[in-house]
Each structure stands twice: as structure tokens, then as C-alpha cells.
Amino acid sequence: MQMGYFITFEGVEGCGKTTQIRLMEDQFLALGYDTVSTREPGGCPIADKIRTILLDAENRAMSPLAELMLYDAARAQHVSEIIAPALSSGKIVLCDRFCDATIAYQSFGRGLDRALIDGLNRLACQGVTPDLTVLIDCDPTIGLTRARSRIEACSGPREERFELEALAFHERVRNGYRQLAADAPERFIIVDGSQSIAELFSAISTQLVARIPESTHAVC
Ligand code: TMP
């Protein structure tokens, strides 16, 4: 049973999701809402191990089908261990990517069958669905430039398998996200990712705070 409020953030590489989630988490906490932020792929130790395999730049030979199943395997664990329990206890959950990413990347990007993806997503989600999805719409050339400079500055594992994809792949992903938003306007909020961090935050927070239902109680 989903009692909290589930908000997902989506967009192409380097669109600014992670920064906005951090700012939104701080704002919800300041307003007194019990809030957790998490991400996909990953969000718990087992799913983080799957993330390492998925994003490793050395795994270029991974087949699209194996990739799809790994995303949904990680999701099944993440939903069971983190997202569903947090929602059951009434929390606001902010998640950096979720099922829409699988449709945008594995269906629009890679060309896998949409019905197959919808079926696997349903299985992995175990009835959990986003109440709201923020799409940070961004030109992939801008996003990839930001993402590549972040990777160059990072000394950790080389999580760049997707940044190495051709621009045309990222254009298909962006168009896929726009299509998903057009198909579900009641769930999606679209914001312009070319704005500054502060402008983007103002646009997102105004709309999100207004949409939190009164039944999602603040803890103080
Ligand atoms: P991140 O860079 O936002 O952490 O996301 C990791 C990468 O994984 C990003 O390139 C998008 C990709 N991805 C998919 O291809 N399918 C999915 O289902 C998810 C959750 C992410």
C-alpha cells in the first residue's frame, strides 16, 4: 500500500537532476516532511553492485536485453528494500530516475520492444508507481558537456558507458521522454533544463510543494 508521495526525476545525462533532488530534499525537510532521496540504478547495496556492472565503461559488449534485465533486477531490489517501505511509512520519496528511464533509454534509445519493457517494469515495481515525475528537458549537447566534465573531475569508477553513446542515441532518449510526458500530462511536470540552478529550483519547488497532498503529513 502506497501512503507517502513518490516523485521521480528524469532527463538526459547532465540535465541537473541530482542537484535539484538535493535542493528539493532540503526544502521538504525544512518544511517538516519526512523525506528520503534515492536513485536508480542503485539506491541500496545489491542494486549498487548492479549499477557498477551497468555503467562500467569496459562493459561495452553488454547486450541490450541483458542491460534491460539488469535495470529491472536492480529496480526489484530497490523497490522492495527502500521505496515501498518508505512509502508505506508515509514518507516523500525523491528518486533520481525510475521506470520512465527504462522506456526512454532501452526502448526509444536502444529500440527494444515497448511491451516487453512495460511487462518487466510492472514486475519490478510490484505495484509502486510515481505520483509525479519531473522531466528536466535539456538539449543533449549541453547535458553531455556537463556530464563529461563531471566525469573528468571524478577519481572514482568510470561510470560512463552511456556518455560514450552517440549524440543520436541521446536525441532519441530526449524525444522519448517528451513523448512519455505528452502521453501522461497529469503525472509529468516539464521544466527547461537550460535555466540556471536557482531558476530551475524555483520552477520545480513551486510546482512540487503545491502538489503534495494534505494527507502527506509533515512530521513537526
Ligand atoms: P545517472 O547517470 O542518472 O545516475 O543514470 C545512470 C545511467 O543509466 C544513465 O545513463 C541512464 C541509464 N539508465 C537506463 O539506461 N535505464 C534505466 O532504467 C535507468 C534507471 C538508467
Side-chain angles (χ1 to χ4, degrees), residues 13 17 40-41 51 55 71 75 96-98 101-102 105-106 162:
E13 320 300 307
K17 294 175 282 92
E40 290 209 345
R51 178 185 176 94
L55 304 187
Y71 276 113
R75 180 163 301 133
D96 192 335
R97 299 194 187 281
F98 198 60
T102 319
Y105 280 80
Q106 277 64 55
F162 282 85

Side-chain angles (χ1 to χ4, degrees), residues 8-204:
T8 57
F9 287 70
E10 300 281 359
V12 297
E13 320 300 307
C15 69
K17 294 175 282 92
T18 311
T19 305
Q20 295 301 323
I21 288 175
R22 192 171 35 75
L23 294 169
M24 264 330 295
E25 183 184 19
D26 289 347
Q27 167 144 19
F28 279 134
L29 289 170
L31 290 171
Y33 290 107
D34 208 350
T35 308
V36 293
S37 70
T38 186
R39 69 168 179 184
E40 290 209 345
C44 57
I46 294 171
D48 277 333
K49 286 187 181 165
I50 300 175
R51 178 185 176 94
T52 306
I53 299 170
L54 277 165
L55 304 187
D56 185 342
E58 289 187 1
N59 287 341
R60 287 195 206 182
M62 189 183 299
S63 82
L65 190 56
E67 179 185 88
L68 168 65
M69 290 182 174
L70 286 175
Y71 276 113
D72 273 308
R75 180 163 301 133
Q77 185 67 32
H78 185 215
V79 167
S80 307
E81 201 176 323
I82 305 291
I83 300 177
L87 292 173
S88 299
S89 63
K91 293 181 182 167
I92 293 178
V93 176
L94 304 175
C95 190
D96 192 335
R97 299 194 187 281
F98 198 60
C99 286
D100 294 305
T102 319
I103 302 169
Y105 280 80
Q106 277 64 55
S107 181
F108 286 91
R110 298 267 191 245
L112 288 181
D113 179 58
R114 173 72 186 269
L116 170 70
I117 294 176
D118 286 345
L120 279 176
N121 277 348
R122 242 190 328 273
L123 199 61
C125 288
Q126 303 155 72
V128 168
T129 52
D131 294 296
L132 208 56
T133 298
V134 178
L135 172 58
I136 304 183
D137 183 48
C138 178
D139 180 343
T141 33
I142 298 174
L144 284 171
T145 307
R146 288 184 195 149
R148 283 177 187 142
S149 47
R150 193 184 56 216
I151 285 165
E152 275 158 25
C154 165
S155 56
R158 294 185 56 209
E159 286 195 344
E160 60 180 341
R161 201 166 58 86
F162 282 85
E163 284 77 2
L164 298 172
E165 287 289 340
L167 184 58
F169 173 84
H170 294 283
E171 300 276 12
R172 288 198 298 279
V173 171
R174 182 198 197 182
N175 291 332
Y177 272 130
R178 288 175 150 190
Q179 181 69 58
L180 287 169
D183 291 346
E186 65 298 336
R187 174 166 68 87
F188 273 87
I189 289 171
I190 307 181
V191 286
D192 174 4
S194 67
Q195 301 174 88
S196 70
I197 290 175
E199 287 168 331
L200 203 48
F201 177 59
S202 162
I204 293 173

